[in-house]
Amino acid sequence: MTYTLDHAMMRVEDLEASMDWYATHLEYEEKGRWAADTFTNVYLGPEDQGEDAAVLELTYNHDDRSYERGDAWGHIAVRVEDVFEAYEELMDAGVEDYRDPESCGGSYAFVKDPDGHEVELVERDYGARWSLDHTMLRVEDADEAIGFWTRKFEYEHTGRWESDTFANYFLKPEDASEEAMAVELTYNYDGRTYDLGDAWGHVCVRVDDLHEAWDELMVREAEDYRDPESCDDMFAFTTDPDGHEIELLNPADAPGE
């Protein structure tokens, strides 16, 4: 079982506006959708992304609800060749000026989508332009969070950045390709706690056999949050020690149209 990250899910208040933003500014195309009576899920990504790349899932609930972002989820990050050039391109197109490259030491930058979700630009020499590089989660205990991903999902460190006030840890499955999305765990040293909110949904890991993967996680003492049977044997959910939801999905069993 590889547990490669398949997608990151965010809830949006205007599906068409969000799809237009990602199509216009990040050149995303629709990869699939699942339309139910009460909600719609749409999966987006660059046209030329590889098979190991993750996609972005936008979830729109049909009851016109609004959302609270909280602070336990940080951002998604997308790959660009030159952060200054990409940021100027977005500014010229009218994207919100949130954190420019100069304010971030010249190595990254941030913009926001229509719902206020933060999108980081990071320089990479691999993967399709604008493809998902990582999803950032804030954690209250770095040792516990790293241990969760390494024990439950057999992830390993692919990078770390430790400063005076916080540390970032990047993890992926051992055999994941460069284009696969990583999870970034951010640990602040001041002992703060976080609010999950409801604007962010989950990250999803791809499995070959849903029931086998679920049984494996139960042996490894993962949280029994939503088992396959409760999800019509199409997917399942566990949670990390901080309450972030993690979906298990076999793409062959996934609903869609």
Side-chain angles (χ1 to χ4, degrees):
M1 209 69 66
T2 60
Y3 298 111
T4 300
L5 285 164
D6 183 80
H7 64 260
M9 188 273 263
M10 304 187 304
R11 297 184 178 94
V12 300
E13 296 183 12
D14 185 328
L15 181 59
E16 294 305 319
S18 294
M19 290 180 63
D20 181 69
W21 191 90
Y22 281 96
T24 300
H25 301 302
L26 302 190
E27 302 172 10
Y28 278 20
E29 66 176 13
E30 185 172 326
K31 301 293 187 181
R33 76 166 55 203
W34 181 23
D37 291 337
T38 58
F39 67 90
T40 300
N41 296 337
V42 179
Y43 302 89
L44 305 172
E47 178 182 3
D48 57 348
Q49 70 178 35
E51 63 179 14
D52 290 333
V55 296
L56 178 65
E57 176 186 351
L58 302 181
T59 290
Y60 171 66
N61 288 294
H62 301 168
D63 55 8
D64 296 325
R65 72 184 72 175
S66 57
Y67 302 102
E68 296 292 332
R69 282 189 301 279
D71 57 1
W73 297 85
H75 58 259
I76 56 171
V78 297
R79 302 176 179 118
V80 298
E81 300 88 352
D82 185 300
V83 67
F84 285 91
E85 178 182 302
Y87 195 80
E88 285 305 312
E89 180 181 321
L90 294 177
M91 294 303 97
D92 290 344
V95 173
E96 180 181 351
D97 183 5
Y98 180 47
R99 293 179 62 189
D100 62 25
E102 288 86 354
S103 69
C104 300
S107 57
Y108 55 93
F110 285 87
V111 297
K112 289 185 177 181
D113 75 2
D115 290 273
H117 297 297
E118 296 181 15
V119 180
E120 182 184 12
L121 313 181
V122 293
E123 289 189 1
R124 297 287 187 260
D125 60 2
Y126 54 83
R129 190 175 196 240
W130 306 120
S131 61
L132 289 172
D133 183 76
H134 63 264
T135 296
M136 189 271 266
L137 318 177
R138 295 187 178 93
V139 301
E140 296 181 12
D141 185 321
D143 292 332
E144 185 177 26
I146 293 169
F148 172 87
W149 284 97
T150 56
R151 179 168 183 244
K152 305 298 191 291
F153 294 105
E154 301 175 28
Y155 276 31
E156 65 175 11
H157 279 106
T158 58
R160 66 171 65 198
W161 181 27
E162 296 173 325
S163 73
D164 293 337
T165 59
F166 69 92
N168 296 334
Y169 304 98
F170 298 86
L171 299 100
K172 280 185 183 181
E174 181 179 2
D175 297 325
S177 67
E178 282 189 322
E179 71 177 356
M181 184 171 71
V183 60
E184 176 189 357
L185 306 179
T186 291
Y187 172 63
N188 288 291
Y189 301 155
D190 56 9
R192 73 182 74 175
T193 59
Y194 302 102
D195 176 13
L196 286 167
D198 59 0
W200 289 87
H202 58 260
V203 291
C204 175
V205 295
R206 196 180 303 157
V207 299
D208 300 322
D209 185 295
L210 178 61
H211 288 273
E212 180 182 333
W214 184 256
D215 291 344
E216 195 170 75
L217 286 179
M218 293 302 98
V219 168
R220 295 172 182 174
E221 303 174 295
E223 182 71 21
D224 183 356
Y225 182 51
R226 295 177 61 191
D227 64 18
E229 184 178 357
S230 70
C231 300
D232 298 322
D233 295 310
M234 294 188 293
F235 45 85
F237 285 87
T238 186
T239 60
D240 73 4
D242 292 273
H244 301 108
E245 295 184 14
I246 303 164
E247 181 183 12
L248 279 68
L249 176 71
N250 179 349
D253 299 332
E257 62 176 25

